[in-house]
């Protein structure tokens, strides 16, 4: 019998730019890492031959949820503005679950757009979209 795994959201750490440790993240879903390329596809020829293509792209989309007024909100906004002003807003990122999941490292990351915002009777979250130019999961 295999021992059960334990997941704790407070063990998930997000580091942006090498020094900013993300804070002010909501209790529910706060980081989503989605591959943007690197797929395998097939093409069939006129006589039924099949050619398989492996895309070497290692791009990812990372969605980060922040709470209203968080320090990470401010950090991402500064990077977004810096990138729009002079194209110098790229940064590295790291996502690490101190429990059992692998480390994700991203290079050449940039904030894609101004954060999606919602206003309601309670404090809401902001949704940031980050494009990762080169990312990879490293198994421990």
């Amino acid at each position: 019998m295999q021992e059960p795994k334990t997941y704790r959201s407070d063990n998930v750490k997000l580091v942006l730019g090498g020094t900013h440790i993300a804070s002010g993240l909501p209790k529910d879903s706060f980081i989503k890492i989605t591959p943007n390329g690197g797929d395998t596809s097939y093409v069939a020829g006129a006589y039924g031959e099949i050619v398989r293509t492996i895309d070497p792209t290692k791009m990812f989309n990372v969605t980060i949820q922040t709470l209203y007024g968080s320090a990470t909100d401010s950090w991402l906004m500064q990077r977004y503005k810096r990138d729009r002003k002079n194209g110098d807003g790229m940064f590295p990122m790291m996502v690490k679950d101190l429990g059992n999941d692998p480390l994700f490292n991203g290079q050449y990351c940039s904030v894609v757009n101004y954060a999606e915002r919602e206003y309601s009777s309670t404090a809401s979250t902001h949704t940031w979209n980050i494009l990762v130019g080169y990312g990879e999961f490293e198994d421990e």
Side-chain angles (χ1 to χ4, degrees), residues 62-116:
V62 176
T63 304
I64 301 169
Q65 296 280 337
T66 59
L67 292 171
Y68 180 85
S70 78
T72 299
D73 235 8
S74 298
W75 193 93
L76 290 167
M77 179 56 74
Q78 288 172 357
R79 283 298 174 141
Y80 174 76
K81 287 179 178 179
R82 184 171 157 181
D83 211 22
R84 291 292 176 203
K85 182 178 180 181
N86 60 20
D88 186 30
M90 287 196 290
F91 55 92
M93 76 169 10
M94 180 189 73
V95 179
K96 176 63 178 146
D97 180 347
L98 301 176
N100 298 309
D101 278 351
L103 171 72
F104 175 79
N105 276 312
Q107 299 296 319
Y108 312 112
C109 305
S110 59
V111 178
V112 174
N113 54 5
Y114 195 80
E116 178 181 305

Side-chain angles (χ1 to χ4, degrees), residues 21-37:
I21 299 171
S23 62
L25 306 178
K27 187 174 183 176
D28 294 326
S29 179
F30 51 90
I31 302 170
K32 181 178 180 180
I33 304 170
T34 307
N36 183 8

Side-chain angles (χ1 to χ4, degrees), residues 5-36:
K5 305 282 188 218
T6 300
Y7 170 79
R8 292 178 44 150
S9 61
D10 61 341
N11 275 344
V12 178
K13 304 301 178 190
L14 169 62
V15 181
L16 302 168
T19 58
H20 178 82
I21 299 171
S23 62
L25 306 178
K27 187 174 183 176
D28 294 326
S29 179
F30 51 90
I31 302 170
K32 181 178 180 180
I33 304 170
T34 307
N36 183 8

